[in-house]
Amino acid sequence: MARWGSGRPRRWALRRVAERLHPDGLAALLRPASTERDRRVRLAADGKSARGSRTRTRTAARLLAVIDQDDQVIAQLRIPDKTNEVPCLREVLGLLDIEGAWVSADALHTQRETARFLVEDKKAHYLLTVKLNQPALYARCRRLPWEKATAKYCGRTEGHGRKVLTVSHLDFLYARQVARVIRHRTDKTTGKRTRETVYVITDPPSHQAKPQDISLALRGHWHTKNKIHYVPDTLWDEDRSRNRTGHGPENMATLRNTTPNRLRTTDATNMAEAVRDRPYEPFTAPLDLLGIPR
């Protein structure tokens, strides 16, 4: 039995609890209310490695997370060592009611089975990136008659511009539109400018998904890099966490995601500032964030 000193559990006791809790149960308990179907508009999936969990004989634990349009992590799954993200995406989405939602994922998930799963099984839409890991599909996208495309959209943010053109045919399961995205980036430190061309395929027809809708969904997908990677590393120094036993890596990631999830429901935009403010009310702030009556 764990010893309790000064009314608080010892550090090793908390670590043991995190290692032994079933990750699915903890994730379901802390899942944000925004997973209700009437609020699901866009979902984005991306993977992240828990670098500190690496050992001499085992690679770092890799986690696949899904965030919604409110930037809240709504589901997460640890990827088994002998597989990759592709089948895990179907597994993590299989537990959610995502009918009508638009699911975006990077080039690794541009697979026919993933498209079939989303459209047929989940009644959702996909937004999949095409890069050179799919050379035949990439070549078909590149050879499309882009000079005849009439639907265009230009959107610019600071140091970043994009242009989208759509066509209505491609030899990919359920694909109804293809977008060519031209990104212009400027390095604010060096002033160096770069240009990248990416192709994106999606199943809704043009009257349901306009070029500006595709651009908005793509921009939302790239936000996952900040919400899943940058925020935990900045707030909790996640990459240096040495929790590597049992279910520790995925449970600790779930707990680290819970605080930003809850803070975003309070309209907090600066996570670091919001976290610093909470210790001033140590007895009431945690209860308020969790929605527990006091």
Side-chain angles (χ1 to χ4, degrees):
M1 179 180 295
R3 296 180 180 178
W4 304 86
S6 303
R8 296 179 299 175
R10 296 190 177 183
R11 184 175 181 178
W12 62 266
L14 295 175
R15 179 185 291 268
R16 182 169 296 180
V17 170
E19 292 169 353
R20 296 184 179 185
L21 278 175
H22 195 287
D24 292 345
L26 181 63
L29 179 66
L30 298 176
R31 186 167 295 152
S34 62
T35 57
E36 296 176 3
R37 195 175 77 85
D38 59 352
R39 294 190 62 190
R40 293 195 189 116
V41 178
R42 297 185 305 273
L43 302 177
D46 197 24
K48 183 184 188 299
S49 293
R51 299 179 183 178
S53 63
R54 183 185 296 110
T55 67
R56 292 181 179 179
T57 59
R58 190 173 182 180
T59 59
R62 187 158 179 82
L63 309 172
L64 178 64
V66 179
I67 72 170
D68 65 5
Q69 70 279 355
D70 297 321
D71 296 330
Q72 297 196 54
V73 178
I74 64 170
Q76 182 175 262
L77 178 69
R78 181 170 179 174
I79 302 170
D81 293 338
K82 296 184 179 181
T83 186
N84 57 42
E85 293 183 18
V86 176
C88 293
L89 177 63
R90 298 192 290 270
E91 183 176 349
V92 72
L93 292 176
L95 302 175
L96 302 175
D97 180 8
I98 60 173
E99 182 177 349
W102 209 347
V103 181
S104 61
D106 59 25
L108 177 65
H109 298 282
T110 307
Q111 308 286 339
R112 290 179 177 271
E113 179 56 29
T114 299
R116 186 210 61 79
F117 167 78
L118 289 172
V119 176
E120 295 183 9
D121 295 353
K122 304 303 293 183
K123 310 302 180 187
H125 305 293
Y126 64 77
L127 189 75
L128 301 175
T129 304
V130 181
K131 293 186 177 181
L132 289 175
N133 66 314
Q134 295 264 18
L137 182 58
Y138 185 89
R140 291 199 297 271
C141 290
R142 188 176 183 180
R143 290 195 301 264
L144 289 170
W146 294 104
E147 68 281 358
K148 297 180 180 179
T150 57
K152 302 179 181 181
Y153 176 76
C154 296
R156 291 189 175 274
T157 56
E158 187 176 355
H160 187 171
R162 67 182 65 194
K163 180 179 180 181
V164 179
L165 298 87
T166 63
V167 293
S168 59
H169 175 73
L170 185 72
D171 184 20
F172 187 84
L173 194 64
Y174 293 108
R176 302 291 296 276
Q177 292 195 83
V178 184
R180 186 178 68 181
V181 183
I182 302 175
R183 297 192 180 103
H184 301 271
R185 293 188 179 92
T186 302
D187 190 316
K188 295 181 180 180
T189 303
T190 63
K192 182 180 179 180
R193 301 187 64 183
T194 59
R195 169 176 167 167
E196 179 187 25
T197 300
V198 176
Y199 298 98
V200 179
I201 54 178
T202 186
D203 64 293
S206 58
H207 66 275
Q208 293 182 3
K210 299 183 182 301
Q212 54 266 40
D213 299 326
I214 296 175
S215 181
L216 179 63
L218 282 172
R219 191 162 56 247
H221 177 77
W222 283 105
H223 283 176
T224 63
K225 304 298 180 182
N226 290 334
K227 308 306 177 181
I228 297 179
H229 304 308
Y230 182 75
V231 171
D233 290 340
T234 302
L235 290 180
W236 322 121
D237 204 8
E238 186 174 56
D239 279 343
R240 295 179 61 185
S241 172
R242 308 297 290 177
N243 197 314
R244 59 183 66 165
T245 307
H247 298 302
E250 56 262 50
N251 281 334
M252 291 305 299
T254 297
L255 293 173
R256 293 187 190 102
N257 288 327
T258 297
T259 298
N261 281 352
R262 301 288 180 170
L263 288 174
R264 288 189 178 102
T265 64
T266 67
D267 297 326
T269 56
N270 188 318
M271 292 296 106
E273 180 180 327
V275 169
R276 285 196 302 266
D277 290 345
R278 288 309 182 274
Y280 292 111
E281 300 175 344
F283 301 106
T284 59
L287 298 178
D288 293 339
L289 280 179
L290 293 172
I292 299 175
R294 34 183 175 117

